[in-house]
Amino acid sequence: VNDGGVPLPPYALRVLRGGQDLLEILRCPTCRRRLRPRTDALRCRRGHDWPVVHGVPVFSEVGRDVEVREEDHVSHQPGERAWAELAAGPSPWLHLGAGATTSVLPGSVELETAIFPNTAVVGDVHSLPFADQSLRGVLALNVFEHLADPPRAAAELRRVLAPGSRLVIQSAFLQPLHADPSHYFNATEHGMRVWFRDFDQLDVHVPGNMAPCFALGWMASDLLFHADEADREALAALTLGELGSLWQGEACASPGLVALDRVPEHVRRMLAAGFEVRAVRP
Ligand SMILES: C[S@@+](CC[C@H](N)C(=O)[O-])C[C@H]1O[C@@H](n2cnc3c(N)ncnc32)[C@H](O)[C@@H]1O
Ligand SMILES: [Zn+2]
């Protein structure tokens, strides 16, 4: 039975992954009104239609053309330390940008931009299709660096979370460019504090899977992978000592540093210390 006391057509519960429970918390992202099931869509009172594809409501401009990803590749599986607290608390909680999980974490609702095997909702975190205060937690791993407007995404999470809900976010600091499909912001811990300034008890720490060895290791791995065959050996022999003295302005021309100086332009852009923008005011 939906909010108007009208029994749902049987297909609605059969079709919607998460069924009635999910329908209770879903809202039209355009006007925030409740949604009612149609034959193969959810419709709000103002007539905004959102298709249901393979049982997944699609709150996105792509509509029925939504990508369906039968993954052979499985996403990074979140360590239990990251989500145990969320799974032990009240549900439903949001697993944002979950990618291709092997199983649905207990009590979670997976939201993605395409339909992966366990996706429950397709949507955009900048404009979430959920009622105010309808969720009891959120987990987002390696998602925020891919968002065009992280402060707006944080404000949306605050809107849909019930008071006292837990938020667990892991996001990039010293990571090379890794578009998926876009990579916008690497944040320092100060930047992350600004993104989540409207949350209480903000603790920012380095989780085990994001220790400095992984920052250096990822850069080294990308460099070696993309370098010209002829330069790979010299790069592999480059030491931290040589890099350190380069930074301290000591003249040093080891073969590794010379090779580092001639990586292709796309690799310079993946691993640069910064960018310069030049523009003209229109
Ligand atoms: C690097 S993947 C991380 C996947 C998984 N959480 C992991 O750690 O392996 C980033 C994910 O964020 C999702 N994403 C990007 N922009 C999004 C948006 N605006 N709203 C919701 N999800 C988004 C992408 O579809 C992608 O699956
Ligand atoms: Zn609407």
Side-chain angles (χ1 to χ4, degrees):
V1 175
N2 63 19
D3 63 310
V6 182
L8 290 175
Y11 69 79
L13 294 176
R14 203 173 57 236
V15 159
L16 201 63
R17 290 183 189 174
Q20 179 78 58
D21 290 347
L22 186 57
L23 195 60
E24 282 300 318
I25 60 170
L26 287 175
R27 294 291 182 276
C28 173
T30 303
C31 68
R32 303 258 172 88
R33 286 180 167 73
R34 281 184 178 270
L35 294 152
R36 283 160 194 271
R38 315 281 293 181
T39 322
D40 57 357
L42 298 179
R43 178 178 287 181
C44 74
R45 288 216 177 104
R46 292 188 58 184
H48 300 125
D49 262 334
W50 304 101
V52 176
V53 179
H54 295 297
V56 179
V58 179
F59 298 98
S60 144
E61 282 164 17
V62 293
R64 294 195 187 283
D65 295 329
V66 63
E67 194 186 349
V68 180
R69 295 179 52 165
E70 307 293 351
E71 287 306 277
D72 39 5
H73 154 84
V74 169
S75 294
H76 150 86
Q77 287 307 294
E80 201 170 331
R81 279 173 67 93
W83 55 265
E85 200 184 4
L86 295 170
S91 60
W93 56 273
L94 178 64
H95 190 173
L96 174 66
T101 54
T102 45
S103 57
V104 179
L105 298 176
S108 71
V109 172
E110 295 193 7
L111 181 136
E112 256 297 347
T113 55
I115 301 179
F116 291 85
N118 294 321
T119 303
V121 178
V122 167
D124 179 357
V125 64
H126 299 97
S127 183
L128 284 168
F130 297 111
D132 293 358
Q133 304 190 6
S134 59
L135 291 159
R136 309 303 301 262
V138 62
L139 176 71
L141 304 177
N142 314 304
V143 174
F144 263 69
E145 71 263 31
H146 300 286
L147 302 179
D149 192 343
R152 182 168 156 202
E156 266 297 87
L157 292 177
R158 192 177 185 280
R159 175 183 72 76
V160 300
L161 289 172
S165 298
R166 301 263 162 198
L167 168 127
V168 179
I169 305 285
Q170 292 185 2
S171 195
F173 171 31
L174 296 176
Q175 294 184 13
L177 179 75
H178 56 280
D180 188 2
S182 301
H183 177 177
Y184 297 102
F185 299 108
N186 280 12
T188 64
E189 71 164 288
H190 308 288
M192 287 189 83
R193 285 183 189 281
V194 171
W195 288 350
F196 299 103
R197 69 191 343 157
D198 292 329
F199 287 80
D200 288 339
Q201 299 170 33
L202 199 54
D203 160 61
V204 183
H205 66 272
V206 180
N209 56 311
M210 289 185 159
C213 61
F214 297 115
L216 288 166
W218 191 339
M219 285 205 176
S221 160
D222 273 2
L223 255 183
L224 293 171
F225 181 81
H226 292 285
D228 284 345
E229 186 73 44
D231 281 334
R232 204 160 289 151
E233 202 178 320
L235 283 171
L238 192 58
T239 66
L240 283 178
E242 286 173 286
L243 285 167
S245 49
L246 173 80
W247 177 247
Q248 280 152 25
E250 288 164 26
C252 181
S254 76
L257 288 177
V258 172
L260 192 54
D261 207 30
R262 60 173 176 235
V263 291
E265 178 61 16
H266 78 279
V267 182
R268 274 174 71 81
R269 287 172 176 265
M270 283 169 73
L271 300 170
F275 291 94
E276 171 179 298
V277 177
R278 294 185 182 213
V280 175
R281 187 205 188 283

